[in-house]
């Protein structure tokens, strides 16, 4: 039997494992390299989005590698560990594994490959795309790259980029509890001018997650000198709660999608493990479910059915899984069995027994119920499936978050049966009852 530490280690190795790390024909891609390698190139790419735990992905490795060797020099072949780099999976709406996409003539609209998962099947489809590319070049058309034109790019709101100065930098950035990306620019800099619309778009898309600022380094020289700005634009990353002013170099691409992907990866890296709170009032449910993308609600056995050691084991499992998937930024809460009947009824928990679990989307008023084991592996698989849109969901009864009964939080102790009161019969006169009993016998 594996220890908890061993399970966590296996989970880490799984998320960090790359199928094609030692394959010279398949390029392992990540959010930092995806735009420059795939979107900004004139070459055709086929990219597999996979998860290390996926059996179908493991089975595809041989054929995918065979295909990559066959098309070498004609088509680029890439792979993305979408379990590790979820921002890319979300961007391309990956709902299952493996998913193959062909980035051909129009890089902004990749095609899903749905043919046979054989080397020959993939090669045949890629040759069709090569033919389309040749025809497009003959007709004078150019491929659409990841550097979006003004007409196809989303407009960002200039107000979402915070204007920074020497006087407000300390209070606004360094003393804040937010993550920041700060551009040090010069008004005359051509690269800065080209970056501006992408910076605005990224700021709008990241609003509420990561803040983006801009500082004119030709005017506000104190801060530009402090951070050793030598060229323009220079972008610095300030982690959440970096009170000492420590900054990191931004090493991502210069398109809006590059900036967003890089920032989301950093956000996931620095996001703390979620708290696992007990539902004792409506405010806790609202905070966990309405203020987060999704919330995980567990129903643990009554304390008389599962004492403190047992309950703490369940809570520890929830904390471990919550930490593993902290980049999702979901809410994690639990309730004692039967104590919140309206919540159980709304999520159809009654017939599942305890412990039980549901993932709730408060925005769509839908939920999915854990059907497997309430264990580290079972819950991890469930959360992973929900993350990529797999599994069934049901509407929340009443189409709203249910009523919550105010209760006292668990004190961490074992449950105690109520003490029965001793009944003292010494002062009870039984003479009348005895007379009645005697009379009843005589009548018989």
């Amino acid at each position: 039997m594996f220890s908890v530490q061993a399970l966590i280690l296996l989970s880490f190795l799984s998320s960090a494992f790359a199928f094609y790390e030692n394959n010279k024909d398949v390029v392992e891609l990540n959010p930092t390299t995806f735009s420059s390698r795939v979107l900004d190139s004139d070459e055709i790419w086929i990219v597999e989005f996979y998860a290390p735990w996926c059996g179908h992905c493991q089975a595809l490795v041989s054929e995918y590698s065979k295909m990559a060797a066959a098309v070498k020099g004609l088509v680029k072949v890439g792979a993305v560990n979408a379990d590790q780099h979820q921002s890319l999976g979300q961007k391309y709406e990956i709902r299952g594994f493996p998913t193959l996409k062909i980035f051909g003539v129009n890089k902004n609209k990749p095609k899903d490959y749905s043919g046979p998962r054989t080397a020959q099947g993939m090669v045949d489809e890629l040759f069709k795309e090569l033919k389309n590319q040749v025809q497009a070049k003959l007709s004078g058309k150019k491929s659409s790259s990841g550097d979006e034109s003004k007409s196809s790019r989303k407009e960002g709101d200039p107000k979402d980029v915070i204007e920074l100065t020497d006087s407000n930098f300390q209070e606004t950035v360094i003393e804040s509890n937010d993550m920041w990306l700060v551009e040090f620019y010069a008004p005359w800099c051509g690269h800065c001018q080209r970056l501006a619309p992408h910076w605005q778009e990224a700021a709008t898309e990241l609003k509420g997650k990561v803040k983006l600022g801009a500082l004119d380094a030709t005017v506000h020289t104190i801060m530009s000198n402090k951070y050793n700005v030598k060229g323009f634009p220079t972008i610095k990353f300030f982690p959440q709660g970096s009170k000492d002013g420590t900054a990191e170099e931004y090493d991502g691409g210069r398109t809006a999608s590059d900036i967003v992907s890089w920032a989301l990866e950093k956000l996931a890296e620095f996001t703390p493990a979620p708290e696992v709170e007990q539902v004792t009032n409506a405010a806790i449910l609202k905070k966990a479910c309405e203020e987060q993308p999704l919330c995980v609600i567990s129903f643990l056995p009554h304390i008389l059915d599962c004492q403190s050691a047992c309950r703490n084991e369940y809570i520890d499992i929830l904390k471990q899984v919550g930490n593993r998937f902290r980049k999702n930024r979901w809410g994690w809460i639990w309730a004692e069995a039967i104590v919140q009947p309206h919540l159980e009824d709304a999520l159809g928990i009654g017939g599942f027994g305890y412990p039980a679990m549901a993932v709730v989307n408060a925005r769509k008023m839908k939920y999915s119920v854990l059907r497997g084991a309430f264990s580290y592996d079972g819950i991890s698989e469930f959360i992973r499936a929900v993350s990529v849109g797999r599994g069934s969901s049901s509407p929340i009864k009443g189409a709203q978050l249910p009523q919550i009964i105010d209760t006292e939080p668990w004190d961490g102790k074992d449950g105690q049966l109520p003490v029965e009161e001793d009944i003292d019969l010494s002062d009870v006169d039984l003479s009348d009852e005895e007379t009645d009993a005697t009379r009843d016998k005589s009548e018989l």
Side-chain angles (χ1 to χ4, degrees):
M1 181 179 293
F2 287 113
S3 66
V4 171
Q5 290 83 357
L7 288 172
I8 294 174
L9 178 61
L10 286 173
S11 168
F12 171 78
L13 291 174
S14 173
S15 64
F17 180 72
F19 279 163
Y20 305 99
E21 191 171 17
N22 298 318
N23 189 321
K24 63 182 183 298
D25 299 323
V26 181
V27 181
E28 282 280 355
L29 300 162
N30 59 53
T32 301
T33 61
F34 197 90
S35 290
S36 59
R37 296 296 298 271
V38 179
L39 301 181
D40 293 341
S41 76
D42 291 327
E43 298 170 291
I44 292 173
W45 279 79
I46 181 170
V47 178
E48 176 195 357
F49 294 82
Y50 70 88
W53 47 263
C54 164
H56 293 297
C57 303
Q58 296 163 10
L60 182 63
V61 170
S62 176
E63 290 295 307
Y64 198 69
S65 300
K66 184 178 177 182
M67 174 273 297
V71 300
K72 187 175 183 179
L74 300 172
V75 174
K76 290 288 188 180
V77 181
V80 173
N81 181 343
D83 193 39
Q84 182 180 10
H85 305 298
Q86 293 187 12
S87 59
L88 277 177
Q90 292 169 1
K91 178 179 179 180
Y92 291 105
E93 300 181 343
I94 305 303
R95 295 288 181 262
F97 301 117
T99 292
L100 302 178
K101 288 186 178 285
I102 298 175
F103 294 79
V105 176
N106 188 345
K107 293 291 179 66
N108 295 322
K109 294 182 179 180
K111 299 178 181 178
D112 286 322
Y113 173 75
S114 56
R117 290 180 179 175
T118 61
Q120 186 63 56
M122 289 181 278
V123 167
D124 290 344
E125 188 65 26
L126 290 171
F127 279 174
K128 291 180 185 178
E129 191 61 34
L130 277 169
K131 182 178 179 181
N132 292 340
Q133 187 184 58
V134 172
Q135 293 291 345
K137 289 181 177 179
L138 285 174
S139 64
K141 295 180 181 179
K142 293 184 178 180
S143 63
S144 176
S145 70
D147 188 14
E148 303 98 337
S149 66
K150 290 183 179 179
S151 60
S152 65
R153 191 171 58 230
K154 298 177 184 177
E155 290 293 331
D157 188 344
K159 295 179 181 178
D160 293 331
V161 178
I162 310 300
E163 183 178 352
L164 299 169
T165 66
D166 282 339
S167 59
N168 71 8
F169 200 95
Q170 178 74 25
E171 179 182 0
T172 306
V173 178
I174 297 176
E175 295 180 2
S176 79
N177 291 319
D178 299 303
M179 287 187 178
W180 280 84
L181 278 174
V182 177
E183 175 200 2
F184 295 83
Y185 71 93
W188 45 261
C189 163
H191 292 300
C192 304
Q193 294 165 9
R194 284 189 288 274
L195 176 63
H198 293 279
W199 197 248
Q200 290 177 9
E201 181 185 336
T204 298
E205 191 167 344
L206 289 167
K207 192 173 182 179
K209 299 176 182 177
V210 179
K211 290 189 174 182
L212 270 66
L215 181 140
D216 184 344
T218 64
V219 175
H220 305 286
T221 57
I222 296 175
M223 285 300 163
S224 61
N225 289 333
K226 177 179 179 179
Y227 290 103
N228 198 31
V229 175
K230 300 297 184 184
F232 305 112
T234 291
I235 301 173
K236 300 279 187 178
F237 169 68
F238 294 82
Q240 187 175 11
S242 178
K243 304 299 184 182
D244 60 355
T246 301
E248 299 179 20
E249 290 290 336
Y250 171 82
D251 58 0
R254 298 298 173 89
T255 67
S257 60
D258 288 333
I259 298 163
V260 170
S261 294
W262 194 95
L264 291 178
E265 286 292 313
K266 282 294 183 183
L267 185 65
E269 179 183 336
F270 283 90
T271 297
E275 293 185 22
V276 181
E277 289 190 87
Q278 182 182 0
V279 182
T280 56
N281 56 59
I284 292 175
L285 178 68
K286 181 177 181 180
K287 178 183 176 183
C289 295
E290 291 188 354
E291 298 179 14
Q292 309 297 338
L294 299 174
C295 61
V296 182
I297 306 177
S298 299
F299 298 88
L300 304 184
H302 193 278
I303 193 63
L304 293 178
D305 296 324
C306 174
Q307 294 285 10
S308 59
C310 166
R311 177 173 288 183
N312 282 322
E313 285 182 10
Y314 286 131
I315 294 175
D316 284 343
I317 290 173
L318 296 176
K319 288 179 178 178
Q320 291 161 21
V321 181
N323 182 54
R324 177 180 180 183
F325 292 94
R326 64 185 184 278
K327 64 176 65 177
N328 292 345
R329 300 177 70 83
W330 294 359
W332 288 74
I333 53 179
W334 66 275
E336 187 173 54
I338 309 174
V339 172
Q340 300 295 344
H342 306 293
L343 184 58
E344 292 191 23
D345 182 52
L347 303 180
I349 292 297
F352 290 91
Y354 306 102
M357 174 182 287
V359 172
V360 173
N361 185 327
R363 187 166 41 84
K364 296 182 178 180
M365 284 297 153
K366 290 188 174 182
Y367 69 93
S368 297
V369 174
L370 170 67
R371 308 286 180 178
F374 198 98
S375 63
Y376 179 85
D377 288 341
I379 297 172
S380 294
E381 180 64 28
F382 174 55
I383 298 300
R384 193 184 290 123
V386 173
S387 299
V388 296
R390 289 194 287 120
S392 60
S393 62
S394 304
I396 295 176
K397 187 175 181 179
Q400 63 182 356
L401 292 179
Q403 174 189 351
I404 295 298
I405 299 172
D406 289 348
T407 58
E408 291 295 322
W410 177 46
D411 59 9
K413 300 177 181 179
D414 286 340
Q416 300 292 332
L417 288 170
V419 179
E420 295 185 5
E421 294 184 9
D422 292 331
I423 301 176
D424 185 2
L425 300 179
S426 61
D427 295 332
V428 178
D429 185 1
L430 300 178
S431 58
D432 291 341
E433 286 79 355
E434 292 174 353
T435 304
D436 291 340
T438 303
R439 184 183 304 114
D440 290 339
K441 286 182 180 180
S442 63
E443 289 177 355
L444 291 174

